[in-house]
Amino acid sequence: MDGDFTRRRLMRLGSAIALLPLWAQQGAAAAAAAGRRDQAAMHRKGDPEAMKDDDANAGPKSRVIGIVLFDAFETLDVFGPVQMWGRLPDHRLMFVSQDGGAVTSAQGTVVNADASFASAPQFDILMVPGGMGTRPLVRDGALLDFVRRQDRATRWTASVCTGAAILARAGLLDGREATTNKLAFDWVAGQSDKVRWQRKARWVFDGKYATSSGVSAGTDMALALVEKLYGRKAAEHAATIAEYRWHDDAADDPFASS
Amino acid sequence: MDGDFTRRRLMRLGSAIALLPLWAQQGAAAAAAAGRRDQAAMHRKGDPEAMKDDDANAGPKSRVIGIVLFDAFETLDVFGPVQMWGRLPDHRLMFVSQDGGAVTSAQGTVVNADASFASAPQFDILMVPGGMGTRPLVRDGALLDFVRRQDRATRWTASVCTGAAILARAGLLDGREATTNKLAFDWVAGQSDKVRWQRKARWVFDGKYATSSGVSAGTDMALALVEKLYGRKAAEHAATIAEYRWHDDAADDPFASS
């Protein structure tokens, strides 16, 4: 991004804070403290989409949501949650791939990673998406070691879709309830008989573990996690600014086979 | 992607075709004709997520869906449609940015482009997303020229969210009905008084122009376009494999201000 663009984004912060709900203003104000106020005050007020910027979660003490990327990950598994988590007031997103290089989604999108397994910091929230790429990865020692190591100190460990197969093979879901993509259910469930797999659930929370059903279900689970972190109004706000109809009942799973 | 991974994807094609609905098998079969059959036959059958691969739309004569990217585009504006369009049997996706370089979404995701405005081929479908990045771009001559030039020969020209502001400023929506993000409605509508802006609509089709309301509405519109191209069952199939509850009524807009 060119300097002028970055400057405009900083200037936008003033009006962004004013538009944030109360729960978010504290974190955003902290982020603004580092000398940005003069620029912010110069910015025109009242732009209704200004709340859509990511400046508000750029605070120095922000927690890290780490999303694992691999070739042939399913696009919406990642970007539904990214949409809903991308503006949390004191969390920032980070993409990690095994070698830190770019990866290609199942729909052909090339996304850059921010860190490798070796260079990634400890995440507060770890999320593993699904997609065809999970098929060989359930036997990938480097990935399984990485998620085990991260999981020791995460606040939340989550998966979307067939990402649950990775968590299961890493042993993180042993003895716990979990769910996954309903079309690929038997393959995922076959990865571990120590998991209490739930055939009818949009998503499942068990302790710090959050697992969702297929693809779009990750967006609903992501909002449920926003509710856990910041309360109901925050989750509803995140859904509303994305004009998203949140299916907020984890037990309502129209894609479960009857 | 390493060679082994690419080979595995080619091998997967056989079972992928078997899982595709009838409407899609013809296109997928054409893509397979280029000497891939032997490899395909070697692949294990019945993987339920195999239909999630993008091999099926890699045919040499495939149409191109071109998505315009710019810094601070809204993440889900792009990746909801990418999810739904990423497996069409005779369309492939292409990202284009002004200089062909990577861009960063409003949620911080860095995405590589496939072409620049200068190198892009003629698109069959042009899609412009929204986001804060549209604010300066309504006065960006290079972008407006690009969408005008592409639009002359597109089969469909579409926008999600505030991307309608770009189409409006380019003059493409003159005299037509269109909609946009409901939170940013007045700003977008202020870009052109020649457009018949619709305050209550999840999406609007007028001739070859498709415009959606904010962010998530783009996913619903993307499925409506799949229905136009391939019929109702194809759209329902695309929604179902993503476990997505398609809101299929363009007039049902809960985010319109009353």
Side-chain angles (χ1 to χ4, degrees):
Chain A
M1 295 185 297
D2 63 75
D4 185 55
F5 178 72
T6 302
R7 187 161 48 78
R8 280 199 305 271
R9 289 174 65 204
L10 293 177
M11 290 169 62
R12 204 174 294 132
L13 187 60
S15 56
I17 293 176
L19 284 158
L20 286 169
L22 279 174
W23 60 267
Q25 289 194 18
Q26 187 174 12
R36 298 179 183 179
R37 287 191 189 89
D38 290 347
Q39 289 177 312
M42 292 165 60
H43 187 65
R44 67 198 164 89
K45 294 176 181 174
D47 189 319
E49 215 175 19
M51 69 177 78
K52 294 192 168 183
D53 212 334
D54 58 339
D55 292 327
N57 64 5
K61 292 184 178 176
S62 60
R63 297 171 188 266
V64 179
I65 302 174
I67 298 177
V68 179
L69 295 184
F70 42 81
D71 281 323
F73 75 86
E74 188 70 10
T75 303
L76 198 60
D77 288 20
V78 167
F79 293 111
V82 163
Q83 177 69 41
M84 299 308 170
W85 293 341
R87 286 188 197 94
L88 299 178
D90 59 359
H91 284 80
R92 64 193 171 89
L93 297 173
M94 178 174 279
F95 291 127
V96 59
S97 67
Q98 183 156 350
D99 63 1
V103 300
T104 304
S105 84
Q107 283 74 23
T109 300
V110 180
V111 181
N112 289 358
D114 304 301
S116 68
F117 290 174
S119 71
Q122 175 63 50
F123 300 145
D124 298 279
I125 301 173
L126 170 71
M127 195 278 266
V128 180
M132 277 309 297
T134 60
R135 297 301 187 277
L137 290 176
V138 292
R139 293 177 298 276
D140 186 298
L143 173 61
L144 299 179
D145 286 347
F146 177 73
V147 300
R148 276 190 208 105
R149 176 159 50 87
Q150 281 285 340
D151 179 69
R152 283 186 209 125
T154 55
R155 191 174 173 197
W156 292 94
T157 294
S159 65
V160 172
C161 194
T162 51
I166 306 296
L167 300 188
R169 288 284 282 224
L172 306 183
L173 301 177
D174 287 2
R176 296 190 180 274
E177 294 190 355
T179 197
T180 186
N181 186 307
K182 298 314 182 307
L183 286 170
F185 196 91
D186 291 341
W187 176 77
V188 177
Q191 301 306 311
S192 172
D193 59 7
K194 296 176 182 169
V195 182
R196 291 147 61 200
W197 294 107
Q198 304 297 303
R199 283 196 177 267
K200 183 172 168 61
R202 187 73 173 161
W203 71 85
V204 171
F205 283 117
D206 186 345
K208 74 172 188 179
Y209 297 92
T211 54
S212 88
S213 190
V215 197
S216 303
T219 309
D220 294 328
M221 181 192 74
L223 287 167
L225 193 54
V226 174
E227 182 176 18
K228 295 261 190 199
L229 294 169
Y230 295 101
R232 180 74 187 182
K233 285 196 172 169
E236 290 175 347
H237 178 75
T240 298
I241 62 172
E243 295 193 18
Y244 182 74
R245 299 192 219 195
W246 179 23
H247 301 286
D248 62 350
D249 180 358
D252 178 17
D253 181 9
F255 299 96
S257 55
S258 53
Chain B
M1 294 186 296
D2 63 76
D4 184 52
F5 178 72
T6 302
R7 187 163 44 79
R8 280 198 307 272
R9 290 173 65 204
L10 293 177
M11 290 169 63
R12 204 175 295 132
L13 187 61
S15 55
I17 292 175
L19 285 158
L20 285 170
L22 280 173
W23 60 267
Q25 288 193 18
Q26 188 173 11
R36 299 178 183 179
R37 287 191 189 90
D38 291 346
Q39 290 178 309
M42 292 165 59
H43 187 64
R44 66 198 163 87
K45 294 176 182 174
D47 189 318
E49 215 175 18
M51 69 177 78
K52 295 191 168 185
D53 213 335
D54 58 341
D55 290 325
N57 64 6
K61 291 184 178 178
S62 60
R63 297 171 187 263
V64 180
I65 302 175
I67 298 177
V68 178
L69 296 184
F70 42 81
D71 282 323
F73 76 86
E74 188 70 11
T75 304
L76 197 61
D77 288 20
V78 168
F79 293 110
V82 163
Q83 177 70 40
M84 300 306 170
W85 292 342
R87 284 187 200 94
L88 298 178
D90 60 358
H91 284 79
R92 62 191 172 92
L93 298 173
M94 177 173 279
F95 291 126
V96 59
S97 67
Q98 183 156 352
D99 63 1
V103 300
T104 305
S105 84
Q107 283 74 24
T109 301
V110 180
V111 181
N112 289 359
D114 303 301
S116 67
F117 290 175
S119 70
Q122 174 65 50
F123 299 145
D124 299 278
I125 300 173
L126 170 71
M127 195 278 268
V128 181
M132 277 309 298
T134 59
R135 297 300 185 279
L137 291 176
V138 292
R139 294 177 297 276
D140 187 300
L143 173 61
L144 298 179
D145 286 349
F146 176 73
V147 299
R148 275 191 209 104
R149 177 159 50 87
Q150 281 285 340
D151 179 69
R152 282 186 211 127
T154 56
R155 190 174 173 198
W156 292 93
T157 295
S159 65
V160 172
C161 195
T162 50
I166 306 296
L167 300 189
R169 287 283 282 223
L172 306 183
L173 301 177
D174 287 2
R176 295 190 179 274
E177 294 189 355
T179 197
T180 186
N181 186 307
K182 297 312 182 308
L183 286 169
F185 196 91
D186 292 341
W187 176 76
V188 176
Q191 301 306 311
S192 172
D193 59 8
K194 296 176 182 168
V195 183
R196 291 148 60 200
W197 295 106
Q198 305 296 304
R199 285 196 175 267
K200 183 172 170 58
R202 187 72 173 162
W203 71 84
V204 171
F205 283 116
D206 187 343
K208 74 172 188 179
Y209 297 93
T211 55
S212 89
S213 190
V215 196
S216 303
T219 309
D220 294 327
M221 181 191 76
L223 287 166
L225 193 54
V226 173
E227 182 176 18
K228 294 262 189 198
L229 294 169
Y230 295 101
R232 180 76 186 181
K233 287 196 172 171
E236 290 175 347
H237 178 76
T240 297
I241 63 171
E243 295 194 19
Y244 182 74
R245 298 191 219 197
W246 179 23
H247 301 287
D248 62 351
D249 180 358
D252 178 17
D253 180 9
F255 300 97
S257 55
S258 54

